[in-house]
Amino acid sequence: MNLKAPERNEERIAQRLVRTLARRYSLALLLVIALVGIDQAIIQPKLVRLSFYAPVINVAGRQRMLSQKVAKTSLTLLTSSGDIETRQQQLREALQHWSAAHDGLLHGDVEQELFGTTSPEIVAAFAELQPHFDAMRTAATRLAGGSVAATEREQLVDELLRHEVAYLPIMDRIVGMFEAEARQRVTWLRRAGIFLMLAIVLSMTSIAYLVIRPANEAIKHHVEQLAEAHAELEQRVDERTRELSVANQALESEMAERTQAESRSKQLASQLAHASRVTVAGELATGIAHELNQPLAAISNYANACELQLEAAGAAFEVRHRLMRHLSQIRASALRAGAIIRRMRNFLRPEQDPELDEVAPQGLLNEVCELCGTELTRTNVPLHLNIEPDLPNVRVDAIQIQQVLANLIQNAVRSMEEIDAGRRELTIRCARQEHSIRFEVLDRGIGFAEIDPDELFKAFRSTRRDGLGMGLAISRTIVESHGGRIWAENRRGGGAKVVFTLALVAGSGCHAA
């Protein structure tokens, strides 16, 4: 039963429907956003500006009263004989308010909340009013100034009253113009608001008709399809359950085979590590034989000396003293030969399960250096040990870690075969880090100029033509199985450096090697 084709067809239809609804919704939403933006950018600023008409109309109406106040105050200078300076001060104050309001209506004034005017009709009316205003202000300014003769005062008052007669009707007309402009703006804003409201209502209706209604129909259609698909899915689940049961049985069989393969792989890895140690021991066999010949020859010589001394039968005490000294040397040589053989036997012993013991790092290094000492002497490679004092113990399989060190020492020795004997040098450092012990093997050989140092730790990668490329791979496996890390790098002055770390024994103190 092929159900994939109908499913893909339904999916394409659903995707087209979603895209169509998304486009419609986006267009309607953009329209609503545009209308709201128009309202905020045009209508609302105009409404705010419209609110400024109240102060304008108020100030314009007050101009008539101020002009009359200026005129009345000027008349008091003629009719009253009281304190002239006080009435002049009152005239100056009225004149100042009147002039400030006039300039604010024409040019705008922030303090009086006046925004000025740009209407050509109002500007023309102010131009008609300006000569009368200037004449009245000039006369009032002269009256409010210093001492003025009575005759001149009467002339100034007449001049002021004559221009006031022309000023008041023009000012009334300007006030009417401001009121008419305000009414026009209110009418326009009402119409614009109604239009925006209708546009928003239409947009929301379009969203309901073009987006929500098709979406409801699509949801209803898909609910029906989901009911059909549910029944079909239950049937397919039953089929898949039976298939999974068969697959689980096959998987269990495969897991059992994989477990056996992993067990076999571990066994082969152990055998390979043992073979590597045997190979190393074979390469060291000549030196070890030489090492064993020396104590064995010494044993033979000392034994012969004992026989000769006994035959000579000299002074009893002196002869006994010599014999005791020779016998002591024989015993020491025999123990040394036994230690060499035991060390080689332990190194060659194939391990079944790793035996982890607390071991002093210096003890590991001393045994490996004795094991490789003959090879170092034969190849004329001086060894420098730099071991930090009072190092804590590490919990490791001593044989495996000795194998790692022996591999690194032999690799270093081989890398220096082609350089002058005077330049050969091997350095082994051992120091404590935060939670581990760090071992470094440094040489002055050819380094890793032609290969990435990280590639050396992969199986069958070697810098020597006759090398198997397994030494460093086995070393990495051993170090990582102990929770450590191993890496290599080139030295600046020439040569190579291989570093590995081993975790400290939890809660261990410092122990002298």
Side-chain angles (χ1 to χ4, degrees):
M1 182 177 182
N2 186 9
L3 298 175
K4 292 185 178 180
E7 288 179 356
R8 287 195 293 268
N9 188 33
E10 291 291 335
E11 183 178 355
R12 286 195 294 270
I13 294 173
Q15 290 177 351
R16 285 199 298 271
L17 178 60
V18 169
R19 287 195 295 268
T20 302
L21 293 177
R23 284 196 296 270
R24 293 177 181 178
Y25 179 77
S26 299
L27 291 174
L29 185 61
L30 288 174
L31 178 59
V32 172
I33 293 173
L35 293 173
V36 173
I38 291 172
D39 178 68
Q40 292 296 322
I42 299 176
I43 304 300
Q44 293 302 325
K46 289 185 178 295
L47 286 174
V48 173
R49 186 178 179 86
L50 185 61
S51 65
F52 290 136
Y53 273 97
V56 171
I57 295 172
N58 184 31
V59 171
R62 195 174 59 186
Q63 279 295 84
R64 294 175 295 184
M65 293 185 294
L66 289 173
S67 66
Q68 293 172 358
K69 183 177 180 180
V70 169
K72 290 178 181 179
T73 307
S74 299
L75 285 172
T76 59
L77 294 174
L78 294 178
T79 59
S80 300
S81 59
D83 187 2
I84 295 178
E85 291 183 1
T86 301
R87 290 193 292 274
Q88 286 180 335
Q89 178 63 29
Q90 293 175 352
L91 179 60
R92 283 194 293 271
E93 292 177 357
L95 181 61
Q96 180 181 0
H97 292 310
W98 184 49
S99 300
H102 179 85
D103 293 337
L105 288 172
L106 186 59
H107 304 293
D109 189 342
V110 177
E111 293 183 358
Q112 300 183 71
E113 298 182 354
L114 302 176
F115 52 83
T117 181
T118 57
S119 172
E121 293 82 3
I122 297 176
V123 172
F126 267 106
E128 183 182 353
L129 180 70
Q130 192 67 35
H132 303 291
F133 172 78
D134 291 339
M136 292 175 66
R137 182 167 59 180
T138 301
T141 303
R142 185 76 183 91
L143 288 170
S147 60
V148 181
T151 306
E152 184 181 358
R153 190 180 303 162
E154 290 178 0
Q155 293 176 355
L156 291 173
V157 171
D158 291 339
E159 178 76 9
L160 191 149
L161 294 175
R162 183 171 57 82
H163 284 284
E164 183 189 15
V165 173
Y167 174 86
L168 289 175
I170 298 174
M171 194 69 232
D172 288 338
R173 184 153 44 94
I174 290 174
V175 172
M177 289 180 180
F178 277 122
E179 292 176 348
E181 185 177 7
R183 286 193 296 271
Q184 289 177 358
R185 288 183 180 273
V186 169
T187 303
W188 184 87
L189 289 174
R190 284 180 179 176
R191 292 176 181 174
I194 292 172
F195 173 77
L196 287 177
M197 182 187 68
L198 292 176
I200 292 174
V201 171
L202 180 62
S203 299
M204 301 306 294
T205 304
S206 300
I207 291 176
Y209 181 77
L210 297 175
V211 178
I212 297 177
R213 187 178 64 85
N216 289 334
E217 293 177 356
I219 291 172
K220 181 180 178 181
H221 176 68
H222 282 290
V223 167
E224 295 174 353
Q225 287 184 335
L226 284 174
E228 296 176 359
H230 179 70
E232 181 181 352
L233 181 62
E234 288 183 349
Q235 179 181 358
R236 294 176 65 181
V237 166
D238 292 337
E239 295 176 357
R240 291 293 176 88
T241 302
R242 290 192 293 270
E243 293 176 359
L244 286 175
S245 298
V246 176
N248 284 336
Q249 294 177 358
L251 183 60
E252 290 176 356
S253 176
E254 183 180 349
M255 289 176 62
E257 294 177 358
R258 181 173 295 180
T259 301
Q260 294 177 356
E262 289 178 353
S263 176
R264 179 60 178 167
S265 176
K266 290 180 180 178
Q267 182 180 2
L268 291 175
S270 177
Q271 293 176 356
L272 183 60
H274 176 243
S276 175
R277 291 199 299 273
V278 171
T279 301
V280 173
E283 295 176 353
L284 299 175
T286 302
I288 293 173
H290 179 71
E291 288 281 341
L292 290 175
N293 283 333
Q294 289 182 353
L296 292 176
I299 291 172
S300 176
N301 291 334
Y302 289 136
N304 291 332
C306 290
E307 291 178 357
L308 293 174
Q309 291 291 333
L310 291 174
E311 290 177 359
F317 177 78
E318 183 179 354
V319 171
R320 187 167 61 252
H321 178 70
R322 292 178 185 174
L323 289 176
M324 291 297 294
R325 181 161 54 86
H326 292 326
L327 290 174
S328 176
Q329 293 172 339
I330 290 172
R331 183 171 60 253
S333 298
L335 291 175
R336 182 184 175 200
I340 293 172
I341 295 173
R342 182 174 63 255
R343 192 178 301 120
M344 179 58 69
R345 181 188 61 193
N346 291 336
F347 186 71
L348 296 176
R349 183 182 62 195
E351 72 277 5
Q352 298 300 323
D353 294 323
E355 296 181 0
L356 302 182
D357 295 314
E358 291 191 19
V359 182
Q362 185 167 348
L364 287 173
L365 286 171
N366 288 338
E367 290 190 6
V368 171
C369 290
E370 288 184 12
L371 189 65
C372 301
T374 304
E375 180 71 9
L376 294 172
T377 303
R378 183 185 66 81
T379 55
N380 196 20
V381 176
L383 173 63
H384 302 285
L385 283 178
N386 187 354
I387 303 175
E388 183 179 309
D390 299 328
L391 288 175
N393 291 342
V394 290
R395 187 173 180 80
V396 296
D397 185 315
I399 297 301
Q400 290 186 350
I401 300 304
Q402 287 177 348
Q403 178 180 357
V404 173
L405 289 168
N407 283 338
L408 299 183
I409 291 173
Q410 281 200 316
N411 287 343
V413 170
R414 294 193 187 102
S415 70
M416 293 185 285
E417 289 178 349
E418 298 180 0
I419 67 173
D420 297 337
R423 294 174 52 201
R424 297 175 186 176
E425 182 183 38
L426 177 63
T427 303
I428 300 178
R429 298 173 183 168
C430 185
R432 177 174 182 171
Q433 293 191 150
E434 185 175 359
H435 299 295
S436 61
I437 297 296
R438 177 187 177 104
F439 295 84
E440 296 183 0
V441 179
L442 305 94
D443 63 62
R444 291 294 182 184
I446 58 175
F448 310 116
E450 299 179 356
I451 188 171
D452 185 355
D454 292 337
E455 294 290 322
L456 293 172
F457 294 97
K458 296 181 180 180
F460 308 110
R461 301 292 178 90
S462 176
T463 57
R464 295 186 298 121
R465 295 180 179 178
D466 57 345
L468 293 177
M470 293 301 298
L472 289 178
I474 294 172
S475 298
R476 183 179 66 176
T477 302
I478 292 173
V479 171
E480 291 178 352
S481 68
H482 283 77
R485 181 170 162 261
I486 186 170
W487 68 94
E489 58 189 46
N490 287 307
R491 299 179 67 185
R492 288 187 178 180
K497 177 172 72 173
V498 182
V499 185
F500 69 92
T501 60
L502 296 175
L504 291 174
V505 176
S508 67
C510 293
H511 302 279

